[in-house]
């Protein structure tokens, strides 16, 4: 293995790999994740990551510790938080691996807003993913309401319980507390981003902008 991608880079590659027509992902089982250093990050390695679906200018990689970080303007190195038990990792092929879905979610929570954390949980545990809209330019030129991204169907990559269990069992990993707060209001099996947003509004308490607890005048019982 050459590098271990994480954060936004892994999210982009996950979305591309699991979308219809994508190569899919291979999750190993029962292995202790040992992130390689980032010394092999070069033009050839970057090209392989781009081919996997990464679009961002910054390459996000996990490294064994803070001392292994590189000082490159277009590479963000994240010190790997060691899980308490062996965990799977994702083999994207070509020497590129990624964190397990559970570890990836907990780690990326540090850079997401509360709403983004909930929406990502619904996506990972739902029947859809977000990909670039290939027809955006054509739709924009025609005067239609165009979106740069769209939702496509795919099988769930995780469950809320799996994400929650990993976060609970690994409080030493940065992002675990933020993940647990968001997962309190997440659910499995959403079929679209619109369904996820509706569920979030229904489940969030009034103090957080939601509708819970429902009142009798809403036509729903408590």
């Amino acid at each position: 293995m050459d590098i271990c991608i994480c954060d936004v880079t892994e999210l982009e590659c996950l979305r591309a790999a699991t979308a219809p027509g994508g190569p899919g992902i291979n999750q190993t089982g029962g292995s202790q994740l040992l992130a390689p250093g980032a010394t092999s990050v070069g033009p050839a390695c970057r090209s392989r990551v781009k081919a996997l679906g990464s679009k961002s200018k910054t390459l996000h990689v996990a490294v064994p510790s803070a001392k292994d970080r590189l000082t490159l303007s277009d590479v963000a190195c994240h010190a790997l938080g060691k899980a308490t038990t062996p965990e799977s990792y994702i083999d994207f092929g070509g020497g590129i691996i990624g964190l397990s879905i559970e570890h990836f979610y907990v780690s990326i929570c540090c850079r997401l807003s509360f709403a983004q954390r909930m929406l990502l949980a619904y996506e990972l545990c739902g029947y859809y993913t977000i990909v670039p809209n290939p027809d955006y330019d054509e739709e924009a030129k025609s005067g239609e309401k165009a979106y740069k991204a769209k939702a496509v169907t795919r099988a769930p990559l995780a469950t809320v319980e799996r994400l929650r269990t990993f976060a609970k069992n690994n409080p030493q990993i940065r992002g675990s507390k933020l993940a647990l707060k968001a997962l309190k209001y997440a659910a499995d099996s959403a079929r679209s981003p619109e369904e996820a947003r509706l569920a979030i509004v229904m489940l969030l308490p009034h103090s957080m902008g939601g509708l819970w607890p429902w009142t009798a005048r809403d036509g729903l019982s408590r």
Side-chain angles (χ1 to χ4, degrees):
M1 60 184 70
D2 292 326
I3 62 169
C4 178
I5 57 175
C6 62
D7 208 86
V8 174
T9 301
E10 184 168 6
L11 176 58
E12 292 173 337
C13 293
L14 277 173
R15 284 172 166 171
T18 59
I25 56 175
N26 177 29
Q27 297 191 68
T28 68
S31 301
Q32 185 62 51
L33 175 60
L34 299 174
T39 54
S40 60
V41 174
C45 186
R46 293 168 196 262
S47 295
R48 276 179 278 148
V49 176
K50 291 291 184 185
L52 291 171
S54 176
K55 304 295 182 183
S56 300
K57 293 181 179 179
T58 301
L59 174 64
H60 294 265
V61 299
V63 293
S65 63
K67 64 181 178 61
D68 297 297
R69 288 175 174 149
L70 298 180
T71 54
L72 298 174
S73 60
D74 59 347
V75 178
C77 293
H78 304 259
L80 179 66
K82 294 294 180 64
T84 55
T85 56
E87 61 170 313
S88 64
Y89 64 86
I90 296 172
D91 185 357
F92 287 99
I96 311 299
I97 66 169
L99 302 177
S100 67
I101 299 295
E102 298 84 359
H103 196 152
F104 153 73
Y105 177 74
V106 167
S107 297
I108 201 173
C109 278
C110 294
R111 62 186 284 112
L112 302 179
S113 68
F114 182 67
Q116 289 172 327
R117 286 176 231 139
M118 286 189 293
L119 286 171
L120 181 56
Y122 272 92
E123 179 183 342
L124 294 175
C125 302
Y127 286 90
Y128 68 92
T129 192
I130 309 297
V131 298
N133 180 8
D135 302 318
Y136 172 76
D137 291 336
E138 187 175 325
E139 291 172 355
K141 286 180 182 178
S142 67
E144 297 180 42
K145 190 172 184 179
Y147 297 92
K148 291 186 176 180
K150 67 175 185 177
V152 294
T153 302
R154 62 108 172 91
L157 302 182
T159 64
V160 172
E161 185 56 33
R162 277 172 48 193
L163 299 181
R164 184 183 293 116
T165 298
F166 184 89
K168 282 183 178 180
N169 291 342
N170 294 279
Q172 77 284 358
I173 295 180
R174 190 166 174 259
S176 58
K177 290 183 179 179
L178 296 174
L180 287 171
K181 289 180 181 178
L183 292 170
K184 183 178 179 181
Y185 305 102
D188 295 329
S189 304
R191 298 283 173 172
S192 68
E194 292 75 22
E195 182 179 320
R197 293 188 183 96
L198 178 60
I200 289 171
V201 171
M202 297 295 289
L203 292 175
L204 282 178
H206 288 163
S207 60
M208 299 174 73
L211 299 177
W212 180 264
W214 304 310
T215 62
R217 67 183 180 186
D218 296 321
L220 298 169
S221 60
R222 288 180 180 271

Short mmCIF file of all heavy atoms in Angstrom, two decimals, residues 46-102:
data_model
loop_
_atom_site.label_atom_id
_atom_site.label_comp_id
_atom_site.label_asym_id
_atom_site.label_seq_id
_atom_site.Cartn_x
_atom_site.Cartn_y
_atom_site.Cartn_z
N ARG A 46 -0.89 10.70 -7.06
CA ARG A 46 -1.99 11.66 -7.15
C ARG A 46 -2.90 11.32 -8.33
O ARG A 46 -4.13 11.44 -8.24
CB ARG A 46 -1.44 13.08 -7.31
CG ARG A 46 -0.69 13.60 -6.09
CD ARG A 46 0.06 14.88 -6.48
NE ARG A 46 1.06 15.23 -5.52
CZ ARG A 46 0.90 16.13 -4.56
NH1 ARG A 46 -0.25 16.74 -4.44
NH2 ARG A 46 1.88 16.42 -3.73
N SER A 47 -2.31 10.90 -9.43
CA SER A 47 -3.11 10.54 -10.61
C SER A 47 -4.01 9.36 -10.31
O SER A 47 -5.16 9.31 -10.77
CB SER A 47 -2.18 10.21 -11.79
OG SER A 47 -1.46 11.35 -12.20
N ARG A 48 -3.50 8.39 -9.55
CA ARG A 48 -4.31 7.22 -9.20
C ARG A 48 -5.50 7.63 -8.32
O ARG A 48 -6.60 7.13 -8.49
CB ARG A 48 -3.45 6.19 -8.47
CG ARG A 48 -2.68 5.27 -9.41
CD ARG A 48 -1.84 4.28 -8.65
NE ARG A 48 -0.58 4.86 -8.22
CZ ARG A 48 0.08 4.54 -7.11
NH1 ARG A 48 -0.42 3.64 -6.29
NH2 ARG A 48 1.22 5.10 -6.82
N VAL A 49 -5.25 8.56 -7.39
CA VAL A 49 -6.33 9.02 -6.52
C VAL A 49 -7.37 9.80 -7.33
O VAL A 49 -8.58 9.65 -7.14
CB VAL A 49 -5.78 9.89 -5.37
CG1 VAL A 49 -6.92 10.45 -4.52
CG2 VAL A 49 -4.84 9.06 -4.49
N LYS A 50 -6.91 10.63 -8.25
CA LYS A 50 -7.84 11.37 -9.11
C LYS A 50 -8.69 10.41 -9.93
O LYS A 50 -9.89 10.61 -10.12
CB LYS A 50 -7.05 12.29 -10.04
CG LYS A 50 -6.38 13.46 -9.36
CD LYS A 50 -7.38 14.48 -8.85
CE LYS A 50 -6.68 15.69 -8.25
NZ LYS A 50 -7.66 16.65 -7.65
N ALA A 51 -8.07 9.33 -10.40
CA ALA A 51 -8.79 8.35 -11.21
C ALA A 51 -9.86 7.64 -10.38
O ALA A 51 -10.83 7.12 -10.93
CB ALA A 51 -7.82 7.33 -11.79
N LEU A 52 -9.68 7.61 -9.07
CA LEU A 52 -10.66 6.97 -8.19
C LEU A 52 -11.88 7.86 -7.94
O LEU A 52 -12.86 7.41 -7.36
CB LEU A 52 -10.01 6.62 -6.85
CG LEU A 52 -8.97 5.49 -6.87
CD1 LEU A 52 -8.27 5.39 -5.52
CD2 LEU A 52 -9.64 4.16 -7.22
N GLY A 53 -11.79 9.13 -8.35
CA GLY A 53 -12.94 10.01 -8.20
C GLY A 53 -12.70 11.26 -7.37
O GLY A 53 -13.62 12.05 -7.17
N SER A 54 -11.48 11.47 -6.88
CA SER A 54 -11.20 12.65 -6.08
C SER A 54 -11.15 13.89 -6.97
O SER A 54 -10.50 13.90 -8.00
CB SER A 54 -9.87 12.49 -5.34
OG SER A 54 -9.55 13.67 -4.63
N LYS A 55 -11.85 14.95 -6.56
CA LYS A 55 -11.91 16.18 -7.34
C LYS A 55 -11.25 17.37 -6.65
O LYS A 55 -10.89 18.35 -7.30
CB LYS A 55 -13.38 16.55 -7.61
CG LYS A 55 -14.19 15.45 -8.30
CD LYS A 55 -13.69 15.17 -9.69
CE LYS A 55 -14.55 14.11 -10.38
NZ LYS A 55 -14.03 13.76 -11.73
N SER A 56 -11.09 17.30 -5.33
CA SER A 56 -10.56 18.43 -4.57
C SER A 56 -9.08 18.67 -4.86
O SER A 56 -8.34 17.73 -5.17
CB SER A 56 -10.75 18.20 -3.06
OG SER A 56 -12.12 18.05 -2.76
N LYS A 57 -8.67 19.93 -4.75
CA LYS A 57 -7.27 20.28 -4.99
C LYS A 57 -6.37 19.72 -3.89
O LYS A 57 -5.21 19.39 -4.14
CB LYS A 57 -7.12 21.79 -5.06
CG LYS A 57 -7.80 22.42 -6.28
CD LYS A 57 -7.58 23.92 -6.31
CE LYS A 57 -8.24 24.54 -7.55
NZ LYS A 57 -8.07 26.02 -7.57
N THR A 58 -6.90 19.65 -2.66
CA THR A 58 -6.11 19.15 -1.54
C THR A 58 -6.27 17.65 -1.39
O THR A 58 -7.40 17.13 -1.40
CB THR A 58 -6.52 19.84 -0.23
OG1 THR A 58 -6.33 21.25 -0.36
CG2 THR A 58 -5.68 19.33 0.94
N LEU A 59 -5.17 16.93 -1.26
CA LEU A 59 -5.18 15.49 -1.04
C LEU A 59 -5.11 15.23 0.46
O LEU A 59 -4.15 15.65 1.12
CB LEU A 59 -3.98 14.85 -1.76
CG LEU A 59 -3.75 13.35 -1.52
CD1 LEU A 59 -4.92 12.55 -2.07
CD2 LEU A 59 -2.45 12.91 -2.17
N HIS A 60 -6.09 14.55 1.00
CA HIS A 60 -6.14 14.26 2.44
C HIS A 60 -5.68 12.82 2.67
O HIS A 60 -6.26 11.88 2.13
CB HIS A 60 -7.55 14.44 2.98
CG HIS A 60 -8.02 15.86 2.94
ND1 HIS A 60 -7.91 16.70 4.02
CD2 HIS A 60 -8.59 16.58 1.94
CE1 HIS A 60 -8.41 17.88 3.70
NE2 HIS A 60 -8.82 17.84 2.44
N VAL A 61 -4.62 12.66 3.47
CA VAL A 61 -4.10 11.33 3.76
C VAL A 61 -3.93 11.15 5.26
O VAL A 61 -3.67 12.09 6.00
CB VAL A 61 -2.74 11.09 3.06
CG1 VAL A 61 -2.90 11.19 1.55
CG2 VAL A 61 -1.68 12.08 3.54
N ALA A 62 -4.10 9.91 5.70
CA ALA A 62 -3.86 9.56 7.11
C ALA A 62 -2.43 9.06 7.25
O ALA A 62 -1.95 8.27 6.42
CB ALA A 62 -4.84 8.47 7.55
N VAL A 63 -1.76 9.52 8.29
CA VAL A 63 -0.38 9.11 8.56
C VAL A 63 -0.31 8.55 9.98
O VAL A 63 -1.18 8.84 10.81
CB VAL A 63 0.61 10.29 8.40
CG1 VAL A 63 0.68 10.71 6.93
CG2 VAL A 63 0.22 11.46 9.27
N PRO A 64 0.71 7.73 10.29
CA PRO A 64 0.77 7.07 11.60
C PRO A 64 0.74 8.02 12.79
O PRO A 64 0.12 7.73 13.81
CB PRO A 64 2.09 6.30 11.54
CG PRO A 64 2.32 6.06 10.08
CD PRO A 64 1.79 7.28 9.39
N SER A 65 1.41 9.17 12.69
CA SER A 65 1.48 10.09 13.82
C SER A 65 1.78 11.50 13.32
O SER A 65 2.09 11.70 12.14
CB SER A 65 2.56 9.66 14.82
OG SER A 65 3.84 9.70 14.19
N ALA A 66 1.72 12.46 14.23
CA ALA A 66 1.95 13.86 13.87
C ALA A 66 3.34 14.09 13.27
O ALA A 66 3.52 14.92 12.39
CB ALA A 66 1.75 14.75 15.09
N LYS A 67 4.32 13.32 13.72
CA LYS A 67 5.68 13.51 13.22
C LYS A 67 5.84 13.07 11.76
O LYS A 67 6.84 13.38 11.12
CB LYS A 67 6.69 12.78 14.11
CG LYS A 67 6.54 11.27 14.13
CD LYS A 67 7.56 10.63 15.07
CE LYS A 67 7.40 9.12 15.15
NZ LYS A 67 7.58 8.45 13.87
N ASP A 68 4.85 12.34 11.24
CA ASP A 68 4.91 11.85 9.86
C ASP A 68 4.24 12.80 8.87
O ASP A 68 4.18 12.51 7.68
CB ASP A 68 4.24 10.48 9.76
CG ASP A 68 4.94 9.44 10.60
OD1 ASP A 68 6.11 9.15 10.30
OD2 ASP A 68 4.33 8.93 11.55
N ARG A 69 3.74 13.93 9.36
CA ARG A 69 3.07 14.87 8.48
C ARG A 69 4.06 15.53 7.51
O ARG A 69 5.19 15.81 7.87
CB ARG A 69 2.36 15.96 9.28
CG ARG A 69 1.12 15.46 10.01
CD ARG A 69 0.53 16.55 10.88
NE ARG A 69 -0.73 16.15 11.47
CZ ARG A 69 -1.17 16.57 12.65
NH1 ARG A 69 -0.43 17.42 13.35
NH2 ARG A 69 -2.34 16.17 13.12
N LEU A 70 3.57 15.78 6.28
CA LEU A 70 4.36 16.47 5.28
C LEU A 70 3.95 17.94 5.23
O LEU A 70 2.81 18.28 5.55
CB LEU A 70 4.15 15.85 3.90
CG LEU A 70 4.55 14.39 3.71
CD1 LEU A 70 4.25 13.97 2.27
CD2 LEU A 70 6.03 14.19 4.01
N THR A 71 4.84 18.80 4.84
CA THR A 71 4.54 20.22 4.71
C THR A 71 4.44 20.57 3.22
O THR A 71 5.32 21.19 2.64
CB THR A 71 5.61 21.08 5.39
OG1 THR A 71 6.90 20.71 4.87
CG2 THR A 71 5.60 20.89 6.88
N LEU A 72 3.36 20.12 2.62
CA LEU A 72 3.09 20.40 1.21
C LEU A 72 1.78 21.19 1.13
O LEU A 72 0.82 20.88 1.83
CB LEU A 72 2.97 19.11 0.41
CG LEU A 72 4.23 18.22 0.34
CD1 LEU A 72 3.90 16.91 -0.36
CD2 LEU A 72 5.35 18.94 -0.38
N SER A 73 1.76 22.19 0.27
CA SER A 73 0.60 23.08 0.19
C SER A 73 -0.68 22.37 -0.24
O SER A 73 -1.78 22.79 0.13
CB SER A 73 0.89 24.24 -0.76
OG SER A 73 1.17 23.74 -2.07
N ASP A 74 -0.55 21.31 -1.02
CA ASP A 74 -1.74 20.64 -1.54
C ASP A 74 -1.97 19.27 -0.92
O ASP A 74 -2.72 18.45 -1.45
CB ASP A 74 -1.66 20.51 -3.06
CG ASP A 74 -0.43 19.73 -3.51
OD1 ASP A 74 0.47 19.51 -2.67
OD2 ASP A 74 -0.36 19.36 -4.69
N VAL A 75 -1.31 18.99 0.20
CA VAL A 75 -1.50 17.71 0.91
C VAL A 75 -1.80 18.01 2.38
O VAL A 75 -1.05 18.72 3.03
CB VAL A 75 -0.26 16.80 0.81
CG1 VAL A 75 -0.48 15.52 1.62
CG2 VAL A 75 0.05 16.47 -0.64
N ALA A 76 -2.90 17.48 2.88
CA ALA A 76 -3.26 17.61 4.29
C ALA A 76 -3.07 16.26 4.96
O ALA A 76 -3.73 15.28 4.58
CB ALA A 76 -4.70 18.08 4.44
N CYS A 77 -2.16 16.18 5.90
CA CYS A 77 -1.88 14.93 6.60
C CYS A 77 -2.61 14.90 7.94
O CYS A 77 -2.49 15.84 8.73
CB CYS A 77 -0.38 14.77 6.82
SG CYS A 77 0.58 14.54 5.31
N HIS A 78 -3.35 13.84 8.19
CA HIS A 78 -4.12 13.69 9.43
C HIS A 78 -3.52 12.54 10.23
O HIS A 78 -3.46 11.40 9.74
CB HIS A 78 -5.58 13.39 9.11
CG HIS A 78 -6.23 14.41 8.23
ND1 HIS A 78 -7.06 15.40 8.70
CD2 HIS A 78 -6.17 14.59 6.87
CE1 HIS A 78 -7.49 16.15 7.69
NE2 HIS A 78 -6.96 15.68 6.57
N ALA A 79 -3.08 12.84 11.45
CA ALA A 79 -2.52 11.80 12.30
C ALA A 79 -3.60 10.77 12.62
O ALA A 79 -4.70 11.12 13.05
CB ALA A 79 -1.97 12.41 13.59
N LEU A 80 -3.31 9.51 12.39
CA LEU A 80 -4.29 8.44 12.56
C LEU A 80 -4.58 8.19 14.03
O LEU A 80 -3.68 7.94 14.83
CB LEU A 80 -3.75 7.15 11.93
CG LEU A 80 -4.63 5.91 12.04
CD1 LEU A 80 -5.91 6.10 11.23
CD2 LEU A 80 -3.88 4.67 11.58
N GLY A 81 -5.85 8.26 14.41
CA GLY A 81 -6.25 7.90 15.76
C GLY A 81 -6.39 6.40 15.82
O GLY A 81 -7.17 5.81 15.07
N LYS A 82 -5.62 5.75 16.67
CA LYS A 82 -5.63 4.28 16.74
C LYS A 82 -6.92 3.77 17.39
O LYS A 82 -7.30 4.21 18.47
CB LYS A 82 -4.42 3.79 17.52
CG LYS A 82 -3.09 4.08 16.85
CD LYS A 82 -2.95 3.29 15.56
CE LYS A 82 -1.61 3.57 14.87
NZ LYS A 82 -0.46 3.14 15.65
N ALA A 83 -7.58 2.86 16.71
CA ALA A 83 -8.79 2.24 17.27
C ALA A 83 -8.39 1.25 18.36
O ALA A 83 -7.29 0.71 18.35
CB ALA A 83 -9.56 1.53 16.16
N THR A 84 -9.30 1.00 19.30
CA THR A 84 -8.99 0.11 20.42
C THR A 84 -9.01 -1.36 19.99
O THR A 84 -8.46 -2.21 20.67
CB THR A 84 -10.01 0.32 21.55
OG1 THR A 84 -11.33 0.13 21.03
CG2 THR A 84 -9.89 1.72 22.12
N THR A 85 -9.68 -1.66 18.89
CA THR A 85 -9.75 -3.03 18.40
C THR A 85 -9.39 -3.06 16.92
O THR A 85 -9.46 -2.04 16.24
CB THR A 85 -11.17 -3.61 18.58
OG1 THR A 85 -12.11 -2.75 17.92
CG2 THR A 85 -11.53 -3.69 20.06
N PRO A 86 -9.00 -4.23 16.39
CA PRO A 86 -8.73 -4.31 14.94
C PRO A 86 -9.95 -3.84 14.14
O PRO A 86 -11.09 -4.10 14.53
CB PRO A 86 -8.45 -5.80 14.73
CG PRO A 86 -7.93 -6.27 16.04
CD PRO A 86 -8.73 -5.50 17.07
N GLU A 87 -9.71 -3.15 13.05
CA GLU A 87 -10.80 -2.66 12.23
C GLU A 87 -10.51 -2.94 10.76
O GLU A 87 -9.36 -3.14 10.37
CB GLU A 87 -10.98 -1.15 12.44
CG GLU A 87 -9.75 -0.34 12.07
CD GLU A 87 -10.02 1.16 12.04
OE1 GLU A 87 -11.02 1.58 11.45
OE2 GLU A 87 -9.20 1.89 12.62
N SER A 88 -11.55 -2.95 9.99
CA SER A 88 -11.38 -3.14 8.56
C SER A 88 -10.85 -1.85 7.94
O SER A 88 -10.90 -0.79 8.54
CB SER A 88 -12.73 -3.50 7.92
OG SER A 88 -13.64 -2.43 8.05
N TYR A 89 -10.31 -1.97 6.75
CA TYR A 89 -10.00 -0.78 5.97
C TYR A 89 -10.49 -1.02 4.56
O TYR A 89 -10.81 -2.14 4.17
CB TYR A 89 -8.51 -0.45 6.01
CG TYR A 89 -7.60 -1.48 5.40
CD1 TYR A 89 -7.32 -1.47 4.02
CD2 TYR A 89 -6.98 -2.46 6.19
CE1 TYR A 89 -6.48 -2.42 3.46
CE2 TYR A 89 -6.13 -3.41 5.62
CZ TYR A 89 -5.89 -3.37 4.26
OH TYR A 89 -5.06 -4.30 3.69
N ILE A 90 -10.58 0.03 3.79
CA ILE A 90 -11.12 -0.07 2.43
C ILE A 90 -9.97 -0.11 1.44
O ILE A 90 -9.09 0.76 1.46
CB ILE A 90 -12.04 1.12 2.13
CG1 ILE A 90 -13.26 1.07 3.04
CG2 ILE A 90 -12.48 1.10 0.67
CD1 ILE A 90 -14.14 2.29 2.96
N ASP A 91 -9.96 -1.11 0.60
CA ASP A 91 -8.94 -1.24 -0.43
C ASP A 91 -9.52 -0.72 -1.75
O ASP A 91 -10.37 -1.34 -2.36
CB ASP A 91 -8.54 -2.71 -0.57
CG ASP A 91 -7.38 -2.91 -1.54
OD1 ASP A 91 -6.93 -1.92 -2.15
OD2 ASP A 91 -6.93 -4.06 -1.69
N PHE A 92 -9.04 0.46 -2.16
CA PHE A 92 -9.52 1.06 -3.40
C PHE A 92 -8.75 0.53 -4.61
O PHE A 92 -9.11 0.80 -5.75
CB PHE A 92 -9.37 2.59 -3.34
CG PHE A 92 -10.38 3.26 -2.45
CD1 PHE A 92 -10.02 3.65 -1.17
CD2 PHE A 92 -11.66 3.52 -2.89
CE1 PHE A 92 -10.93 4.29 -0.34
CE2 PHE A 92 -12.59 4.15 -2.08
CZ PHE A 92 -12.23 4.54 -0.79
N GLY A 93 -7.69 -0.23 -4.36
CA GLY A 93 -6.87 -0.76 -5.44
C GLY A 93 -5.74 0.19 -5.81
O GLY A 93 -5.73 1.36 -5.43
N GLY A 94 -4.75 -0.33 -6.53
CA GLY A 94 -3.64 0.50 -6.97
C GLY A 94 -2.78 1.04 -5.84
O GLY A 94 -2.14 2.08 -5.99
N GLY A 95 -2.77 0.35 -4.71
CA GLY A 95 -1.96 0.80 -3.59
C GLY A 95 -2.61 1.86 -2.73
O GLY A 95 -1.99 2.40 -1.81
N ILE A 96 -3.89 2.18 -3.00
CA ILE A 96 -4.60 3.20 -2.24
C ILE A 96 -5.59 2.54 -1.30
O ILE A 96 -6.46 1.77 -1.74
CB ILE A 96 -5.36 4.17 -3.17
CG1 ILE A 96 -4.46 4.68 -4.31
CG2 ILE A 96 -5.96 5.32 -2.38
CD1 ILE A 96 -3.27 5.46 -3.86
N ILE A 97 -5.48 2.81 -0.02
CA ILE A 97 -6.45 2.31 0.95
C ILE A 97 -7.13 3.50 1.64
O ILE A 97 -6.69 4.64 1.52
CB ILE A 97 -5.81 1.39 2.02
CG1 ILE A 97 -4.83 2.18 2.90
CG2 ILE A 97 -5.13 0.20 1.37
CD1 ILE A 97 -4.38 1.42 4.13
N GLY A 98 -8.22 3.21 2.33
CA GLY A 98 -8.93 4.23 3.09
C GLY A 98 -9.34 3.70 4.45
O GLY A 98 -9.33 2.49 4.68
N LEU A 99 -9.71 4.60 5.34
CA LEU A 99 -10.19 4.20 6.65
C LEU A 99 -11.48 3.41 6.52
O LEU A 99 -12.21 3.55 5.54
CB LEU A 99 -10.44 5.44 7.52
CG LEU A 99 -9.26 6.40 7.74
CD1 LEU A 99 -9.73 7.60 8.56
CD2 LEU A 99 -8.11 5.70 8.43
N SER A 100 -11.80 2.61 7.51
CA SER A 100 -13.09 1.93 7.53
C SER A 100 -14.20 2.98 7.50
O SER A 100 -13.98 4.14 7.86
CB SER A 100 -13.23 1.07 8.80
OG SER A 100 -13.28 1.90 9.95
N ILE A 101 -15.39 2.59 7.08
CA ILE A 101 -16.50 3.54 7.02
C ILE A 101 -16.72 4.19 8.38
O ILE A 101 -16.92 5.40 8.48
CB ILE A 101 -17.80 2.83 6.57
CG1 ILE A 101 -17.63 2.22 5.17
CG2 ILE A 101 -18.98 3.79 6.60
CD1 ILE A 101 -17.42 3.24 4.07
N GLU A 102 -16.65 3.39 9.45
CA GLU A 102 -16.90 3.91 10.80
C GLU A 102 -15.82 4.90 11.22
O GLU A 102 -16.11 5.98 11.75
CB GLU A 102 -16.96 2.75 11.80
CG GLU A 102 -18.08 1.76 11.55
CD GLU A 102 -17.74 0.70 10.51
OE1 GLU A 102 -16.62 0.73 9.96
OE2 GLU A 102 -18.60 -0.16 10.25
#
